[in-house]
Amino acid sequence: MPDSASASASASASANASANATANATANPGGAATPSFSPLYQQIKALLVQGLQAGEWLPGQSIPSEIELAARFKVSQGTVRKAIDEMATENMLVRRQGKGTFVATHAEQSTQYRFLRLQPDDGNAAPLQRRLLECRRMRAPAEVARLLALKAGEAAVQVRRLLLAADGGTLRPVVLDDLWLPGTPFKGLTAERMEAWRGPLYRLFEAEFSVHMIRAEEKLRAVAAPAEEAELLQVPVGSPLLSVERLSFTYGDRPVELRRGLYDTAAHHYRNELS
Amino acid sequence: MPDSASASASASASANASANATANATANPGGAATPSFSPLYQQIKALLVQGLQAGEWLPGQSIPSEIELAARFKVSQGTVRKAIDEMATENMLVRRQGKGTFVATHAEQSTQYRFLRLQPDDGNAAPLQRRLLECRRMRAPAEVARLLALKAGEAAVQVRRLLLAADGGTLRPVVLDDLWLPGTPFKGLTAERMEAWRGPLYRLFEAEFSVHMIRAEEKLRAVAAPAEEAELLQVPVGSPLLSVERLSFTYGDRPVELRRGLYDTAAHHYRNELS
DNA sequence: TAGTGGTCTAGACCACATC
DNA sequence: ATGTGGTCTAGACCACTAA
């Protein structure tokens, strides 16, 4: 981003471009130097991400127009455009022709359950019912602390819940989720708060705790249902279940949720696209 | 862009652009018309895909430079660039600064097993051994024919194989794959041909049958190991296995492979990235 | 040194949404 | 009519590769 000298307002990024290019050219011959170079549009992108992280623009709101951002950062509209393009393909921003560019949110219908890849074998899109089983604050177990980058013994919130599908009048459990959330950002999270909430969990996190999930990694395996989980899912002990361990990240690639789901794939499957 | 008069060779894409724009503007007021409009770079992209499909440039080879393509299609370099950009993000092309743009291939180390999301729980990247169990031509079963868009009773090739991991000196089966391939493009595919082949299967398909997989859809579920499959995978009958049904597509979004894999996830997991 | 892709700019015009 | 993103162009210069 802007060169270190330009401490004034909005930091003439154009000057930086040349500065960076030079730095890059001169740094490499010195040995196995740091990469230490990024194109202008990457610097702009970083600034925009900072803005998002700082809450300058909230999910659902629009960011300034390309022209305005170009003026603010003292670059051409095309450069801003390229920065926004990347952020749009990463689902951090959503462009809407004629209206503006908006901060992505888990509120809209289209992106509501974009991290849930489970779907019914028949195309029925009947949304799943939720049933909260547990929600308590505790010290994060070692493994959880490690994955969430918490200090040993730091506070965490543990949540357990069921997702149920309407199956011809009766509700059949399909997913058993265990969540761990870092205690600090999720200070006021209680069972009541969750029970009262209508809508996706990630929307609650956005709206009430300013935590926006933008990316996740999942590890899948087939496991045999343990006794307790089998009972909750109403399947025989030892039934094959799909285990999905998810680590979700927010803006700075900071992990903010660990989730272990057990999916009953008798009438559902996990859909994935490869390219 | 080029004037609309340039109707000469190579399908002056520019002429289309204006034509399309006009069509679009006039079509909409008429009612719920077809979309029937695509920007110039999409038209260029379509032409490039046609070239790939026709085998004008083969996997691993370079396509003409942006400047040359711009001249050929009578558009600006930037328009060609945008077309190539999209194809690169879809993994159809690979850009290499200073060298050129190349047709993607399953030959290179980096993209060798890009459709195989299974990996060992420890980071060991020891490649899997193969063992071919079966390879025969047959009439495609109804379900297979449907998914591969074959006519009922058309010829297909069925392949069954094991993938095994080196586990401290001994080989342990990890994956049991069942493949169905359309008989026509895979005319000469025999067990001997596959046995003799060193390298990824998809590389063989590219090199010997001109079938290049560029995209796939997978459906995952947890299942209990049936007797026959359990024995092949050397696990107890009823063990939980990850079932992965994959449908792979080549250039025109034509399905060209149906694969059903059973993964033993005792020491491996299926990795996925969500965004 | 020449050729390739990569970045950046400036300006024109189109498509869409809103007032 | 105005403002937004979307497309297209033309040209300059940088970074990388290979001869």
Side-chain angles (χ1 to χ4, degrees):
Chain A
M1 94 295 331
D3 63 298
S4 34
S6 67
S8 68
S10 72
S12 160
S14 42
N16 308 339
S18 18
N20 274 322
T22 325
N24 189 38
T26 55
N28 276 340
T34 60
S36 83
F37 163 77
S38 71
L40 243 190
Y41 73 89
Q42 288 287 5
Q43 303 173 32
I44 304 301
K45 182 182 171 187
L47 291 174
L48 291 175
V49 172
Q50 280 177 33
L52 291 176
Q53 194 165 358
E56 187 169 351
W57 313 290
L58 298 180
Q61 295 179 347
S62 71
I63 68 172
S65 75
E66 294 178 352
I67 293 177
E68 189 177 334
L69 289 171
R72 176 185 307 187
F73 295 133
K74 298 215 166 56
V75 298
S76 80
Q77 184 183 355
T79 300
V80 170
R81 169 163 279 273
K82 187 152 186 180
I84 292 179
D85 275 344
E86 283 204 358
M87 295 175 71
T89 64
E90 292 170 21
N91 295 312
M92 298 173 68
L93 297 176
V94 178
R95 324 192 70 144
R96 275 178 240 185
Q97 189 176 72
K99 301 178 76 173
T101 301
F102 298 78
V103 181
T105 170
H106 292 264
E108 297 149 54
Q109 197 69 23
S110 61
T111 63
Q112 206 152 49
Y113 291 101
R114 55 183 244 242
F115 283 5
L116 181 59
R117 303 293 261 269
L118 194 73
Q119 57 179 232
D121 291 336
D122 52 60
N124 278 353
L128 299 174
Q129 301 281 326
R130 283 173 313 207
R131 185 166 304 161
L132 185 60
L133 301 179
E134 200 171 347
C135 175
R136 55 183 178 135
R137 296 182 70 82
M138 56 184 294
R139 296 192 181 281
E143 176 70 359
V144 173
R146 188 180 63 81
L147 289 169
L148 290 181
L150 300 176
K151 297 188 187 98
E154 216 170 335
V157 180
Q158 201 235 315
V159 176
R160 166 168 276 197
R161 66 161 188 179
L162 273 177
L163 297 181
L164 308 97
D167 176 28
T170 67
L171 286 179
R172 285 223 322 113
V174 177
V175 174
L176 173 61
D177 269 334
D178 278 300
L179 287 72
W180 285 268
L181 304 162
T184 313
F186 289 95
K187 187 164 305 202
L189 181 59
T190 62
E192 295 71 37
R193 203 81 163 259
M194 296 185 67
E195 295 277 20
W197 184 257
R198 299 286 159 241
L201 208 49
Y202 284 178
R203 177 63 195 139
L204 168 67
F205 294 170
E206 260 174 23
E208 305 283 324
F209 304 96
S210 302
V211 174
H212 188 164
M213 315 293 188
I214 54 174
R215 190 180 78 76
E217 299 173 358
E218 290 192 331
K219 294 182 182 181
L220 282 70
R221 46 180 21 113
V223 299
E228 185 183 347
E229 284 79 1
E231 186 176 344
L232 289 169
L233 284 169
Q234 296 175 23
V235 297
V237 173
S239 296
L241 296 176
L242 184 60
S243 161
V244 180
E245 184 184 297
R246 177 193 300 173
L247 191 56
S248 302
F249 299 83
T250 187
Y251 290 118
D253 251 332
R254 290 183 301 119
V256 283
E257 183 204 44
L258 174 62
R259 179 185 293 215
R260 201 237 188 175
L262 284 177
Y263 297 1
D264 178 0
T265 55
H268 294 71
H269 62 268
Y270 182 105
R271 184 167 191 66
N272 200 20
E273 303 256 333
L274 307 182
S275 64
Chain B
M1 95 307 335
D3 63 305
S4 41
S6 67
S8 67
S10 71
S12 162
S14 42
N16 306 339
S18 16
N20 272 321
T22 325
N24 190 36
T26 55
N28 276 340
T34 59
S36 84
F37 162 77
S38 70
L40 242 191
Y41 74 89
Q42 288 288 4
Q43 303 175 30
I44 303 300
K45 181 181 170 186
L47 291 175
L48 291 175
V49 172
Q50 278 178 33
L52 292 175
Q53 194 166 356
E56 187 168 351
W57 313 289
L58 299 180
Q61 294 179 348
S62 71
I63 68 172
S65 74
E66 295 178 352
I67 293 178
E68 190 178 332
L69 289 171
R72 176 185 307 188
F73 295 134
K74 297 214 168 57
V75 299
S76 79
Q77 185 183 354
T79 300
V80 170
R81 168 162 281 271
K82 187 152 185 180
I84 293 180
D85 275 344
E86 282 203 357
M87 296 174 71
T89 64
E90 291 169 21
N91 295 311
M92 300 173 67
L93 297 176
V94 178
R95 321 191 71 143
R96 276 177 239 181
Q97 188 176 69
K99 301 178 75 172
T101 302
F102 298 78
V103 181
T105 170
H106 292 264
E108 297 149 52
Q109 196 68 27
S110 60
T111 63
Q112 205 153 51
Y113 291 103
R114 56 182 244 242
F115 283 5
L116 181 59
R117 303 294 261 270
L118 193 72
Q119 57 180 231
D121 290 337
D122 52 61
N124 279 354
L128 299 174
Q129 302 280 327
R130 282 175 312 210
R131 185 166 303 162
L132 185 60
L133 302 179
E134 199 171 347
C135 175
R136 56 183 176 135
R137 296 181 70 82
M138 55 185 293
R139 296 193 181 280
E143 175 72 358
V144 173
R146 190 179 60 82
L147 289 169
L148 290 181
L150 299 178
K151 296 186 189 101
E154 215 170 338
V157 181
Q158 200 233 318
V159 177
R160 166 169 277 197
R161 66 162 186 178
L162 273 178
L163 297 180
L164 308 98
D167 177 27
T170 68
L171 285 179
R172 285 223 322 113
V174 177
V175 174
L176 173 62
D177 268 334
D178 278 301
L179 287 71
W180 284 269
L181 304 163
T184 313
F186 289 95
K187 186 164 306 202
L189 181 58
T190 62
E192 296 70 38
R193 203 81 165 258
M194 296 185 68
E195 296 276 20
W197 183 258
R198 300 286 158 238
L201 208 49
Y202 284 176
R203 178 61 195 141
L204 168 67
F205 294 170
E206 259 173 26
E208 306 283 325
F209 304 96
S210 303
V211 175
H212 188 165
M213 315 292 188
I214 54 174
R215 191 179 77 77
E217 299 174 356
E218 290 192 332
K219 294 182 181 182
L220 283 71
R221 46 181 20 113
V223 300
E228 184 183 347
E229 285 79 0
E231 186 176 344
L232 289 168
L233 284 168
Q234 295 173 25
V235 296
V237 172
S239 296
L241 295 176
L242 185 61
S243 162
V244 180
E245 183 183 298
R246 177 194 300 173
L247 191 56
S248 303
F249 299 84
T250 188
Y251 292 118
D253 251 332
R254 289 184 301 120
V256 282
E257 183 204 43
L258 175 61
R259 180 185 292 216
R260 199 235 187 177
L262 285 177
Y263 297 1
D264 178 1
T265 55
H268 294 71
H269 61 269
Y270 181 104
R271 185 167 192 63
N272 200 20
E273 303 253 336
L274 308 181
S275 65

